[in-house]
Amino acid sequence: MPRSLAAALAAAIFIAPVAASAQGEPYSRVSFSTTQMYDANLFAAPLSRRPIGDLITRFGPILEAGYRAVPVEIKARYEVQAERYFEHPDLNKDLAY
């Protein structure tokens, strides 16, 4: 096998996959999120008064889209969550976060 043919074959094997992997690819993802937390001082009262706490549950869909390439990744994320309070239902919101 001539030396130039061997060099061309080696370049095709080792360089072509790198060039092919540099092509970017768009992606999208839809998911669902649920979180639960306890806030010990819901109304930001001073410690001289008794703070009021509550258990808060948040849930909702997440939409994510982006473009991934070797040197850069661009991502956009949109999330909407409803909020539910265990002891203070008057604070519940359908679009809170």
Side-chain angles (χ1 to χ4, degrees):
M1 182 182 282
R3 187 172 213 176
S4 61
L5 182 60
L9 184 60
I13 291 172
F14 295 113
I15 296 175
V18 173
S21 70
Q23 301 299 320
E25 60 181 44
Y27 66 92
S28 63
R29 189 177 322 165
V30 177
S31 58
F32 191 81
S33 164
T34 303
T35 58
Q36 193 169 45
M37 64 182 223
Y38 182 79
D39 190 349
N41 195 356
L42 238 141
F43 302 109
L47 290 177
S48 59
R49 293 189 329 182
R50 183 176 172 265
I52 298 173
D54 201 352
L55 185 66
I56 305 164
T57 304
R58 289 184 178 151
F59 54 91
I62 300 171
L63 201 61
E64 188 175 62
Y67 181 79
R68 185 178 301 130
V70 172
V72 70
E73 181 177 355
I74 299 171
K75 186 187 304 186
R77 180 180 170 129
Y78 185 73
E79 183 173 353
V80 177
Q81 288 187 342
E83 222 173 40
R84 297 293 179 247
Y85 290 81
F86 185 69
E87 294 182 18
H88 297 86
D90 51 323
L91 297 176
N92 291 348
K93 293 182 183 176
D94 289 338
L95 293 174
Y97 177 73

